[in-house]
Amino acid sequence: MVRINVNGEERQVDVPEDMPLLWVLRDELNMTGTKFGCGIAQCGACTVHVDGTPTRACQTPVGMLTPDSKVTTIEGVKGKAAQAVQAAWQKLDVVQCGYCQSGQIMSAIALLTDNQTPTDQDIDAAMDGNVCRCATYVRIRAAIKDAAQTMRA
């Protein structure tokens, strides 16, 4: 039995400790907002926050989490950065197919939580590894800048 804190709620799951966090979230906890993309931590679709840090859930064994670890998924984001990012994504119509967007949003929230005045280089570094097959990168960058401006206002 593995104990895990997801979105502020303590959960217990009967899974092997080497099971990727992604499958625990999706298959055991029925939280399908976090997506499977590549399975090798290269696309970012599976990005969640572990203790506030963007983490690729497809390559994170659930047993690597400590009892104090706090996992936040797209379903549980809240706060000023989350609100600003989600509003900017809608305002600028970032989503095309939408498959990668939960990972993109999770990475953007982490960036703006730590840095409300990101440069293009900061955005590139934070979003590196988040692949958008629809190539909405220009809109993603614009939305991050818009969200940052909203947070500073």
Side-chain angles (χ1 to χ4, degrees), residues 5 9 23 25 57 60 70 81 85 92 94 98 101 108 111 116 118-119 122 134-136 140 144-145 149:
N5 182 310
E9 184 178 328
W23 300 124
L25 295 171
T60 303
K70 302 213 179 323
V85 168
L92 298 177
V94 171
Q101 294 305 303
L111 168 64
Q116 293 182 11
T119 64
D122 295 332
C134 300
T136 63
I140 290 168
I144 291 170
K145 288 181 176 185
Q149 183 177 9

Side-chain angles (χ1 to χ4, degrees), residues 4-45:
I4 182 173
N5 182 310
V6 180
N7 299 331
E9 184 178 328
E10 292 290 332
R11 307 291 293 268
Q12 286 192 350
V13 289
D14 189 10
V15 299
E17 289 193 359
D18 64 347
M19 178 181 265
L21 175 59
L22 176 65
W23 300 124
V24 172
L25 295 171
R26 292 183 61 81
D27 294 347
E28 300 298 321
L29 300 178
N30 297 313
M31 302 178 84
T32 58
T34 304
K35 305 299 183 195
F36 173 79
C38 66
I40 58 172
Q42 296 297 302
C43 74

Side-chain angles (χ1 to χ4, degrees), residues 25-136:
L25 295 171
R26 292 183 61 81
D27 294 347
E28 300 298 321
L29 300 178
N30 297 313
M31 302 178 84
T32 58
T34 304
K35 305 299 183 195
F36 173 79
C38 66
I40 58 172
Q42 296 297 302
C43 74
C46 67
T47 303
V48 297
H49 294 171
V50 176
D51 298 325
T53 301
T55 304
R56 303 300 195 244
C58 73
Q59 290 291 303
T60 303
V62 70
M64 287 185 65
L65 302 174
T66 69
D68 295 330
S69 294
K70 302 213 179 323
V71 177
T72 305
T73 68
I74 192 70
E75 292 94 342
V77 294
K78 49 181 121 166
K80 189 174 182 179
Q83 291 172 343
V85 168
Q86 289 171 329
W89 245 248
Q90 291 175 352
K91 174 182 169 185
L92 298 177
D93 200 22
V94 171
V95 178
Q96 191 160 323
C97 86
Y99 197 82
C100 70
Q101 294 305 303
S102 62
Q104 301 276 1
I105 289 169
M106 295 302 286
S107 292
I109 290 169
L111 168 64
L112 295 179
T113 297
D114 292 336
N115 180 356
Q116 293 182 11
T117 57
T119 64
D120 284 345
Q121 293 79 17
D122 295 332
I123 294 170
D124 290 345
M127 303 305 288
D128 186 41
N130 285 87
V131 177
C132 176
R133 292 184 179 118
C134 300
T136 63

